Amino acid sequence: MSAIITATGLTRTYPLPRQSLFAEPGVVTGIDDLSFEVQAGERFAIVGESGSGKSTLLRIIAGLDAPTSGQITVGGIDVSRPGKHIKALRAELQMVFQDPMSSLDPHMKVRDIVAEPLVAQKIPYTADDIDKLLRDVGISSDGADRYPHQFSGGQRQRISIARALAPQPKILIADEPVSALDVSVRAQVLNLITDLVRTRDLTLVFVSHDLSVVRHLCERVAVLKDGRLVEIGPTEQVYAEPQSDYTRRLVAAIPTIGKALAGAETSDLLLGNEPEEADAQA
Ligand code: ADP
Ligand code: MG
């Protein structure tokens, strides 16, 4: 295995508005001195409570933001500094966001949404290619000429996954991709991501505040707290023997089967039930 993402001393601070003319300008820490590698083909999770720096880190990996200091290469491309060279990253890496509604243009047909990255990268494609991508994510081809609002939340997230896969990236990064979905459809979308990552041999970087979501999906997990890496290791090891109180608390927050039975929603996830998606295609 070889590293496909290498980060060294990665730091991102955000300037605070000055409190007074005489006060030193303060900063908010997004991420603080992160060093780690992700191996090609690995399924890597980044977990931590809200505000721990997960999205800051993902945006930097995706070349959407630059670190204040430190180095990062992704697929051999130096994404530490903004510039035209970042364009080459789009062919290597694609992203799925938390809220599929706000990441899909409501005025565009699904067909054009999925084709967007191909158009942007001047990659030739046919209507059949788009239909196939949609089929691969479980959307029937008559969906291609509809608009995002005509689909359920889970289906919209499937459409954003099809768009992400269109340029055949090597790396898929996902920022809480199931957190905004109804609990009943989470397992379905997670299973879809799992299948696609396996069949397409993708490297996956998956962010979640919820450890139960990444447990069976990712082989290795990094735990962030206040922008710092508190723990990194094989998922089973981190879950079985958390090295910090913080990680122990995150692990303890995972719903157990007993708790899950009290609320049917979480049992679907834990027991791998696959209810039919409630709101069918309009
Ligand atoms: P997470 O995704 O884990 O919830 P974020 O990466 O969004 O965490 O945020 C980490 C920290 O950086 C938080 O304290 C947050 O308030 C701060 N932060 C994130 N983005 C910005 C920004 N654009 N401007 C100022 N502060 C920010
Ligand atoms: Mg976030």
Side-chain angles (χ1 to χ4, degrees):
M1 286 223 280
S2 61
I4 196 162
I5 300 174
T6 305
T8 315
L10 213 56
T11 299
R12 172 67 158 107
T13 56
Y14 302 97
L16 272 177
R18 243 173 215 271
Q19 293 301 306
S20 82
L21 205 52
F22 309 105
E24 285 292 314
V27 293
V28 178
T29 302
I31 51 171
D32 187 8
D33 197 21
L34 300 183
S35 300
F36 62 91
E37 285 188 342
V38 178
Q39 305 300 318
E42 191 174 26
R43 300 186 302 275
F44 185 76
I46 299 165
V47 301
E49 58 191 23
S50 175
S52 57
K54 305 180 299 293
S55 295
T56 299
L57 175 57
L58 268 207
R59 282 199 302 273
I60 291 173
I61 294 174
L64 301 172
D65 184 27
T68 319
S69 62
Q71 297 297 320
I72 176 163
T73 60
V74 177
I77 300 162
D78 179 0
V79 294
S80 316
R81 268 161 296 282
K84 280 198 176 136
H85 67 286
I86 303 277
K87 270 195 167 179
L89 186 66
R90 291 290 149 256
E92 302 283 321
L93 174 150
Q94 288 284 323
M95 191 156 175
V96 175
F97 297 92
Q98 174 170 348
D99 179 5
M101 201 55 200
S102 63
S103 65
L104 302 179
D105 185 335
H107 305 296
M108 281 172 79
K109 284 184 177 173
V110 165
R111 172 181 305 291
D112 300 319
I113 289 173
V114 174
E116 226 179 359
L118 299 170
V119 173
Q121 293 174 52
K122 301 187 172 67
I123 300 170
Y125 67 93
T126 65
D128 281 351
D129 294 338
I130 305 301
D131 289 345
K132 173 158 193 326
L133 278 161
L134 286 169
R135 268 202 310 279
D136 287 352
V137 299
I139 301 283
S140 62
S141 50
D142 60 351
D145 292 305
R146 297 172 191 230
Y147 293 89
H149 74 266
Q150 296 178 283
F151 294 88
S152 69
Q155 289 169 327
R156 282 197 288 268
Q157 199 56 300
R158 288 171 189 268
I159 293 163
S160 19
I161 292 167
R163 173 178 61 182
L165 296 179
Q168 299 190 284
K170 297 190 186 72
I171 308 169
L172 181 68
I173 62 180
D175 192 352
E176 308 256 16
V178 299
S179 303
L181 302 181
D182 288 348
V183 179
S184 60
V185 300
R186 275 186 200 167
Q188 298 172 356
V189 174
L190 278 178
N191 288 342
L192 173 69
I193 293 174
T194 308
D195 289 347
L196 292 169
V197 163
R198 292 226 168 92
T199 53
R200 292 170 181 248
D201 231 348
L202 296 171
T203 304
L204 176 69
V205 181
F206 191 104
V207 156
S208 180
H209 70 278
D210 179 351
L211 268 63
S212 64
V213 164
V214 297
R215 177 158 210 172
H216 302 289
L217 179 59
C218 296
E219 306 154 288
R220 210 153 60 92
V221 55
V223 182
L224 289 188
K225 178 179 190 287
D226 300 330
R228 298 193 68 104
L229 196 56
V230 292
E231 198 160 341
I232 185 166
T235 309
E236 277 316 312
Q237 187 182 315
V238 170
Y239 282 53
E241 296 167 44
Q243 297 300 299
S244 66
D245 283 341
Y246 176 77
T247 309
R248 256 188 293 282
R249 269 190 283 126
L250 289 177
V251 171
I254 297 176
T256 60
I257 297 287
K259 277 192 224 161
L261 290 177
E265 317 110 37
T266 33
S267 67
D268 293 335
L269 245 188
L270 285 161
L271 305 174
N273 292 343
E274 295 212 12
E276 282 301 304
E277 198 146 348
D279 35 357
Q281 220 160 285

